[in-house]
Amino acid sequence: MTFHDRSKTPLPSVPAMNAAPRPSAKLSASRLAAVQALYQGDLRRSDAEGLVSEFRRHRLGHDIDGAPAIPPDDELFADIVRGDESHGIALDDAIRARLPANWPFERLEVLLRAILRAAVYELRSSLTTPARTVIDEYVEIGHAFFSGGETGMINGILDALAREMRPGELERRKDGGRQAS
């Protein structure tokens, strides 16, 4: 794993497109903003309500370096941030159970933990969002920050947890959602 001190590195934001953003772009922006908030909260020991309030006032939908940002889905953003606080121990336990025996949870970089916590919360709570979508979205967020094996770890942990939390969902075939034989 490649470890970097990102405590002073600004987190990237999703740039806006010229046309009205697709609903999926708003959801992607929400996930990225939630990861940013969880990262910030972990470094500053901030509570969920303070993070949600601060991000609503100062970050969500605000221009980024003069370019308009895609406005996130505020409900999804707030749900993920609050869900991390409400279910943090269970989320951490689920992640911890999927780490190699020689890799303690505390060894995970703060940003990697934030990505995994947000994703695991969404896998547990947003049952209308396909597990594959959740996994793909958070792996993409990982690619924005990491260049080493971290994204493979994100994918592996989320895939294993999705198979456990949503049995059969990832095995369904794309042709109508029927179970593969």
Side-chain angles (χ1 to χ4, degrees):
M1 261 190 159
T2 306
F3 290 96
H4 306 283
D5 178 10
R6 289 189 170 77
S7 61
K8 294 180 174 78
T9 303
L11 298 173
S13 296
V14 178
M17 299 177 290
N18 291 334
R22 298 178 331 275
S24 62
K26 292 179 69 122
L27 298 175
S28 296
S30 302
R31 291 177 178 108
L32 177 59
V35 167
Q36 291 173 322
L38 296 180
Y39 173 82
Q40 180 176 312
D42 204 0
L43 291 177
R44 294 185 184 173
R45 307 283 188 240
S46 303
D47 70 337
E49 287 309 314
L51 290 168
V52 169
S53 177
E54 178 182 339
F55 269 67
R56 283 178 174 159
R57 278 193 322 271
H58 301 294
R59 303 205 44 194
L60 299 182
H62 290 270
D63 290 356
I64 304 160
D65 297 329
I70 294 173
D73 179 288
D74 185 66
E75 187 176 321
L76 178 61
F77 162 76
D79 182 50
I80 294 169
V81 174
R82 290 177 180 135
D84 174 72
E85 183 173 272
S86 301
H87 303 283
I89 292 172
L91 301 175
D92 290 351
D93 287 346
I95 296 163
R96 189 176 281 113
R98 292 298 175 188
L99 290 172
N102 63 345
W103 199 280
F105 179 80
E106 294 72 22
R107 184 175 169 192
L108 293 176
E109 185 176 6
V110 174
L111 182 56
L112 185 55
R113 282 196 313 259
I115 292 169
L116 289 168
R117 285 172 173 159
V120 174
Y121 175 74
E122 196 168 349
L123 280 172
R124 288 179 58 157
S125 67
S126 300
L127 299 180
T128 57
T129 304
R132 180 57 51 209
T133 299
V134 173
I135 294 168
D136 290 348
E137 288 276 324
Y138 287 100
V139 168
E140 283 304 310
I141 290 172
H143 281 298
F145 298 102
F146 299 106
S147 60
E150 294 87 353
T151 55
M153 178 181 267
I154 293 167
N155 187 59
I157 289 172
L158 296 182
D159 184 80
L161 287 171
R163 290 176 193 282
E164 178 184 310
M165 294 175 179
R166 301 182 184 188
E169 183 179 333
L170 293 178
E171 289 78 19
R172 291 188 188 113
R173 293 175 17 183
K174 293 181 182 179
D175 60 347
R178 291 173 292 195
Q179 286 294 110
S181 307

